[in-house]
Amino acid sequence: TYILDNNLIENADRAGAYFKRRLDELAEYHDIIGDVRGAGLLLGVELVIDRDTKTPFPLQWGVSKRVGAATLARGLVSYPGTGTYDGVIGDHLLYAPPLTITESQIDDLIEILDESLRVVRVELARSC
């Protein structure tokens, strides 16, 4: 009843739409983001080496793990994963924030992810 009494379903719908919009905006500035997909507050961010062709990063580069470590170092838990391309390669990040998340907290999340993507992009340019 807590969920219903506190309108958390409506908040998930509203906050999820806002979160998706903010991730789509972030993708405009980071060509490493190949796609943003999901529903409500369960959203995934696909990471690619080439957005036009959706070419995945080589598995050994560990891109999703790098971004996940960078966000965690800044206070954001991301769920990095692989296999979105063919079951083995293909990096992604999964986000499933609480139903109580606010737009302000989503903005904080986006800021951390933005900075982390920039840092990893520089790392990749240097090492891969």
Side-chain angles (χ1 to χ4, degrees):
T1 65
Y2 181 85
I3 291 173
L4 296 175
D5 291 345
N6 291 281
N7 299 316
L8 296 186
I9 294 170
E10 291 82 4
N11 188 65
D13 186 48
R14 187 174 42 257
Y18 181 74
F19 188 18
K20 171 98 170 45
R21 186 169 55 251
R22 292 300 319 274
L23 287 170
D24 286 337
E25 290 169 2
L26 193 62
E28 293 177 20
Y29 299 99
H30 292 281
D31 60 358
I32 189 174
I33 297 177
D35 195 14
V36 175
R37 54 187 174 264
L41 285 171
L42 181 60
L43 295 171
V45 177
E46 178 186 30
L47 303 173
V48 295
I49 197 167
D50 184 315
R51 185 180 3 218
D52 293 332
T53 63
K54 301 289 191 197
T55 303
F57 285 101
L59 184 63
Q60 65 269 25
W61 289 13
V63 174
S64 58
K65 289 181 184 177
R66 288 177 189 232
V67 177
T71 63
L72 186 58
R74 290 162 178 78
L76 171 63
V77 176
S78 299
Y79 300 99
T82 58
T84 51
Y85 183 77
D86 67 358
V88 178
I89 60 172
D91 291 279
H92 66 274
L93 302 167
L94 177 64
Y95 293 98
L99 300 177
T100 57
I101 195 166
T102 65
E103 287 186 2
S104 175
Q105 291 168 325
I106 291 170
D107 291 340
D108 293 343
L109 184 158
I110 293 295
E111 185 177 318
I112 292 170
L113 181 56
D114 180 34
E115 182 180 344
S116 299
L117 288 169
R118 290 177 198 279
V119 167
V120 169
R121 197 66 158 140
V122 169
E123 286 177 9
L124 291 174
R126 287 185 194 153
S127 65
C128 298

